[in-house]
Amino acid sequence: HIAGVIKATARAAKAMWDWEVDAGKWADDLATAASQAGIDVETYQSWQYASRFIDTDVESIIGAQDKLIKNMGKTSDEVTAMFAALGVKIREDGPQAALRDGEAVFWDVIDALREMGDTTEAELISQTLLGRSYRELKPLIEAGSEAYLAMAEEGREVGVVSAENVEAL
C-alpha cells in the first residue's frame, strides 16, 4: 500500500509541476502578446474573453488596429476620403490637430462600418483601412464596439481577467 501511495503522490506532484510550468508559459505568452500589441495585460485578457463570444480573434483586431494607425498617418486623398465617408475624425480638435488615440479611432471605424451595412463601399473601406484581417473582423463589425466592449467588461466582472494573476503565474 505504501508503494502505491508514494507512486500516486509522485504522479500528483508531477502533474502539479506540469500545470505550474504550463500556467507560467501561458502567462508569459499572454504578457508578451499584450506588450507586443501595445496594450495592457488586462485589456488583452478582456479582449480574449470577448472574442470567445463575438468570434473575432484578438490577433485580427490588433493587426487591423496596426493597419488603421498606419492609415491614420497617411495623407492620401483616398484614405482621407474613406475616413470622411465613415464620418470618423482621426485628429483632435484644436490648433495642434494631434492624431486621436488609435484604439478609439478603431472602435469608431468598426461602428461606422456596422452602420454602412454589407455594402461594396463598406467592403472596400474595410479592406483599405483595416488590411487583410478585415474578413475576420466581420463578426465584430456586425456586433459593434458596444457589444464587444461589454463582453470584455463582463470578463473583468466574472473574474477571469486579472493582471495580478498573470503576474503571479
Side-chain angles (χ1 to χ4, degrees), residues 3 10 14 16 59-60 62 73 75-76 78-79 93 120 122 146 149 159:
K14 168 94 170 81
M16 185 65 119
E59 289 74 23
S60 294
I62 291 167
T75 56
S76 74
E78 177 189 28
V79 170
D93 293 329
T120 303
E146 189 174 319
L149 296 173

Side-chain angles (χ1 to χ4, degrees), residues 7-168:
K7 283 182 182 182
T9 302
R11 280 194 303 272
K14 168 94 170 81
M16 185 65 119
W17 173 258
D18 290 346
W19 179 86
E20 286 182 30
V21 168
D22 290 346
K25 183 176 176 354
W26 170 84
D28 183 59
D29 290 348
L30 189 134
T32 299
S35 176
Q36 289 172 342
I39 58 177
D40 62 73
V41 169
E42 282 195 15
T43 298
Y44 194 91
Q45 281 182 298
S46 69
W47 287 5
Q48 282 184 320
Y49 179 85
S51 290
R52 292 182 192 143
F53 301 97
I54 306 293
D55 297 325
T56 301
D57 65 70
V58 176
E59 289 74 23
S60 294
I61 293 171
I62 291 167
Q65 280 187 359
D66 288 346
K67 176 69 174 178
L68 180 72
I69 289 168
K70 286 178 188 171
N71 279 313
M72 287 171 63
K74 291 183 179 177
T75 56
S76 74
D77 291 339
E78 177 189 28
V79 170
T80 302
M82 287 183 180
F83 281 115
L86 292 174
V88 173
K89 290 179 18 179
I90 62 169
R91 296 205 172 270
E92 298 288 346
D93 293 329
Q96 300 295 6
L99 287 173
R100 290 179 57 218
D101 175 70
E103 185 181 334
V105 172
F106 174 78
W107 294 118
D108 288 350
V109 166
I110 292 299
D111 289 337
L113 289 169
R114 181 175 188 246
E115 293 299 316
M116 288 182 85
D118 194 15
T119 65
T120 303
E121 183 180 14
E123 186 90 1
L124 178 62
I125 291 171
S126 295
Q127 288 177 14
T128 302
L129 296 182
L130 302 175
R132 290 179 290 199
S133 58
Y134 83 96
R135 288 195 189 278
E136 287 84 23
L137 297 176
K138 285 189 176 211
L140 173 60
I141 292 168
E142 290 171 7
S145 68
E146 189 174 319
Y148 189 85
L149 296 173
M151 291 304 303
E153 183 58 31
E154 180 181 291
R156 287 183 174 93
E157 290 171 4
V158 299
V160 298
V161 173
S162 169
E164 292 84 25
N165 289 346
V166 171
E167 188 175 312

